[in-house]
Amino acid sequence: MGGGEAKKSGGNPGKSGRGGKKKEVKKETGLGLTNKKDENFGEWYSEVVVNGEMIEYYDISGCYILRPWAMTIWEIMQKFFDAEIKKMKIKNCYFPLFVSPTVLQKEKDHIEGFAPEVAWVTKSGESDLEVPIAIRPTSETVMYPYYSKWIRGHRDLPLKLNQWCNVVRWEFSHPTPFIRSREFLWQEGHTAFATKEEADTEVLEILELYRRIYEEFLAIPVIKGKKSELEKFAGGYYTTSVEAFIPNTGRGIQGATSHCLGQNFAKMFEINFENEKGEKAMVWQNSWAYSSRTIGVMIMVHGDDKGLVLPPRVASVQVIVVPVPYKDADMQGIFDACNATVDTLCAAGIRAEADLRDNYSPGWKYSHWEMKGVPLRIEIGPKDFANNQVRAVRRDNVAKTDIPRAELVEKVNQILEDIQQSLFDAAKKKRDDCMHIARTWEEFVEALGQKKMILAPWCDEEEVEKDVKARTKGEMGAAKTLCSPFEQPELPEGTKCFASGKPATKWSYWGRSY
């Protein structure tokens, strides 16, 4: 599996350590996690994101430092998505971080949805600002006054812009790295069309790209569907999403969203154009986004009691090469073989590094790179060197394979592809084992207590959804609709809503969520 830019690190110690003062070799790992994923998931997650060098905690609650190990994953997803939207003739731009109150409050439903999370700048030095300035929680109200300025006639359409940026959403309890933070990275696309048909088409095209990010890169199964009226984007026409599920907590998690905004924002911001008949018309708009939350979902789904487990397609380092010293062995030859292995893999587009540090034992290095989730470890000891081979050890299932050097690239690529698929298959099986069909309220409550993702027939009424939330509210949080899947099972005539007993109109997924 090729992986773009290859890297190499570690520094060859050459013959150092073989004469002169003997270096202390660290053998005890001290790297193990103190919490088990199945026993204390929250504490396990907090440990693994730090010990796996994904984040460092910051001195402001809810804000985190994203370390290079995490940023590389973000960059790999960004590279894929950015190339795909450019094929769709979507262009990148950048709008300011700050929003004036008058603009922010222009769309009433929209600002009500975000009001509790908006952070405000109120001072400059020691002086109070005459008018407080908001920090963007999202950019509809930042961008659309200028769409009104730029769009005049049908030849100005479609207008398709995207920006890679950060946003701030301040008020919440229980911050969780990647999943729920006060500042996070995302892309947000904002497009305007002459017709609803064009907008509808793009909504689904973008949603498919989000599915590909989760399933093809992060090896996480997702469900594509439509949000309920209660759960849709504030001020929007309809919202589609990809929904993932965390079996350990029994919670759904919104993976990414693609919204059709309809003409609501066009009306508020007077985004009008003259159509081909010379008539005045309002544009149809979309907005869509995925964020650094994706990384948190990946950690939660694949991580284990040894640390991170990274899918090869997004791993910063896909292969780590470790020399295995032995008494009286030709260590210089083994170091040279490690470097040659890295060079061969890097030349083939595989992201590989060698860990040649001579003050750490092989066992310590194994634990260290397992904690960081590197998909494949290659060990080279005296026997491997003598037999012109390497030993490959998988992170996901610890399977060991001896590979002749002549077949190195071919075999490593095969193993990486197999790891990627195996992670997806394992995650899908765990997710599917947690899915339950409930046709009555009693079945629904029982499945909810078992931390299931529940597919149930529903009458699609907002008041019924509110009632379900009220009736399931507790320490674990209330249940709500996750989405109504696009792939709808057959709904036999006469099927009743599980919650109200009224005629059901669709199947919807329900559960607790992040």
Side-chain angles (χ1 to χ4, degrees):
M1 175 185 291
E5 271 191 36
K7 294 181 285 182
K8 187 167 69 171
S9 74
N12 188 345
K15 297 181 180 178
S16 64
R18 304 183 79 182
K21 190 176 178 183
K22 191 176 179 182
K23 290 193 176 184
E24 180 187 350
V25 177
K26 295 183 182 178
K27 294 182 179 178
E28 293 300 319
T29 67
L31 294 171
L33 300 172
T34 57
N35 292 281
K36 303 286 188 187
K37 186 178 184 182
D38 290 339
E39 294 173 6
N40 191 338
F41 184 83
E43 291 300 318
W44 168 85
Y45 182 80
S46 297
E47 253 195 302
V48 81
V49 292
V50 174
N51 290 15
E53 298 181 6
M54 297 292 274
I55 65 117
E56 188 59 74
Y57 284 93
Y58 195 58
D59 64 356
I60 296 173
S61 174
C63 296
Y64 308 98
I65 299 163
L66 301 190
R67 299 185 66 179
W69 208 242
M71 280 304 297
T72 301
I73 296 170
W74 180 248
E75 288 169 351
I76 289 168
M77 293 187 293
Q78 182 182 38
K79 183 179 180 182
F80 160 76
F81 189 80
D82 200 60
E84 291 298 318
I85 62 174
K86 281 174 177 161
K87 292 177 191 174
M88 297 168 65
K89 308 301 181 189
I90 295 162
K91 295 179 170 62
N92 284 325
C93 64
Y94 185 80
F95 279 73
L97 177 69
F98 302 112
V99 198
S100 69
T102 51
V103 171
L104 186 66
Q105 292 160 5
K106 199 161 188 175
E107 210 298 317
K108 184 172 173 289
D109 290 339
H110 178 71
I111 188 53
E112 281 183 0
F114 283 101
E117 300 175 324
V118 176
W120 294 89
V121 179
T122 59
K123 293 177 81 74
S124 170
E126 295 301 314
S127 306
D128 291 335
L129 295 183
E130 192 173 325
V131 178
I133 297 170
I135 299 174
R136 63 175 170 228
T138 179
S139 297
E140 281 75 9
T141 56
V142 180
M143 299 170 80
Y144 296 167
Y146 300 92
Y147 279 42
S148 174
K149 182 178 180 180
W150 297 336
I151 296 170
R152 286 287 180 260
H154 63 89
R155 292 182 185 85
D156 299 323
L157 293 171
L159 178 60
K160 302 197 282 187
L161 301 180
N162 174 71
Q163 67 172 354
W164 297 92
C165 63
N166 61 340
V167 286
V168 173
R169 297 183 183 176
W170 199 259
E171 186 182 274
F172 58 81
S173 55
H174 310 303
T176 305
F178 298 112
I179 301 297
R180 198 166 170 78
S181 56
R182 285 184 165 156
E183 179 192 7
F184 54 89
L185 300 177
W186 76 350
Q187 59 70 218
E188 51 177 324
H190 296 271
T191 53
F193 300 92
T195 66
K196 178 179 181 292
E197 290 72 26
E198 291 173 283
D200 288 340
T201 298
E202 188 202 61
V203 164
L204 297 182
E205 287 175 346
I206 293 294
L207 197 68
E208 173 60 11
L209 293 181
Y210 292 151
R211 181 202 67 79
R212 290 182 64 190
I213 284 172
Y214 274 94
E215 296 196 345
E216 295 178 14
F217 284 80
L218 299 173
I220 296 168
V222 290
I223 294 164
K224 293 200 290 188
K226 187 177 179 182
K227 289 286 192 182
S228 69
E229 285 296 301
L230 199 62
E231 293 294 325
K232 75 177 184 181
F233 183 69
Y237 183 47
Y238 66 84
T239 290
T240 67
S241 67
V242 289
E243 299 287 330
F245 188 75
I246 311 299
N248 291 77
T249 61
R251 291 182 184 273
I253 187 160
Q254 181 177 284
T257 49
S258 183
H259 316 286
C260 180
L261 301 179
Q263 295 180 306
N264 191 27
F265 285 89
K267 185 177 179 182
M268 292 297 136
F269 289 94
E270 299 177 358
I271 311 175
N272 303 311
F273 70 102
E274 191 176 276
N275 65 21
E276 291 172 340
K277 297 176 183 177
E279 301 164 338
K280 186 179 177 183
M282 281 192 297
V283 299
W284 288 83
Q285 290 177 270
N286 293 339
S287 71
W288 28 270
Y290 83 92
S291 75
S292 43
R293 165 180 275 207
T294 48
I295 299 171
V297 180
M298 177 202 70
I299 296 167
M300 288 182 165
V301 169
H302 298 308
D304 62 19
D305 291 343
K306 291 182 180 179
L308 301 170
V309 178
L310 301 182
R313 284 187 192 151
V314 294
S316 178
V317 175
Q318 295 170 312
V319 180
I320 188 70
V321 181
V322 179
V324 183
Y326 201 79
K327 188 179 178 183
D328 298 327
D330 177 7
M331 287 314 299
Q332 186 58 48
I334 289 173
F335 289 139
D336 290 343
C338 288
N339 282 325
T341 299
V342 170
D343 289 342
T344 300
L345 294 174
C346 288
I350 295 166
R351 295 186 291 274
E353 291 187 6
D355 187 344
L356 304 179
R357 294 174 292 177
D358 58 357
N359 59 327
Y360 291 98
S361 70
W364 190 96
K365 293 175 185 179
Y366 297 167
S367 295
H368 173 72
W369 294 108
E370 284 172 354
M371 178 69 74
K372 295 188 68 163
V374 172
L376 190 66
R377 180 175 77 242
I378 284 180
E379 303 167 6
I380 302 178
K383 285 185 180 178
D384 303 305
F385 180 59
N387 294 330
N388 203 26
Q389 67 179 31
V390 303
R391 170 158 286 190
V393 185
R394 290 170 58 144
R395 172 65 179 86
D396 62 327
N397 62 12
V398 205
K400 297 178 180 180
T401 311
D402 289 331
I403 303 172
R405 293 191 64 83
E407 300 173 19
L408 182 66
V409 170
E410 180 190 354
K411 295 294 186 186
V412 167
N413 267 321
Q414 286 174 3
I415 294 170
L416 291 176
E417 286 288 358
D418 192 66
I419 293 170
Q420 184 80 26
Q421 188 61 48
S422 295
L423 287 175
F424 178 83
D425 293 344
K428 188 173 187 302
K429 185 180 185 305
K430 284 181 188 173
R431 195 273 314 264
D432 291 351
D433 288 346
C434 291
M435 295 171 95
H436 184 83
I437 294 174
R439 291 180 171 83
T440 66
W441 179 255
E442 290 73 25
E443 290 174 359
F444 178 84
V445 171
E446 183 181 354
L448 192 65
Q450 295 169 351
K451 297 183 177 180
K452 301 292 187 184
M453 185 182 194
I454 304 159
L455 184 63
W458 181 38
C459 61
D460 197 15
E461 291 185 13
E462 200 170 312
E463 289 307 312
V464 173
E465 183 174 3
K466 287 178 180 176
D467 185 55
V468 170
K469 279 188 171 183
R471 290 163 73 184
T472 57
K473 197 171 184 181
E475 283 184 18
M476 293 282 289
K480 64 179 183 181
T481 57
L482 304 174
C483 73
S484 294
F486 291 142
E487 293 184 8
Q488 284 278 312
E490 185 185 354
L491 189 68
E493 193 174 338
T495 302
K496 304 291 187 187
C497 170
F498 79 99
S500 68
K502 297 178 182 179
T505 60
K506 61 166 69 170
W507 289 91
S508 287
Y509 281 104
W510 296 73
R512 295 190 173 94
S513 74
Y514 282 92

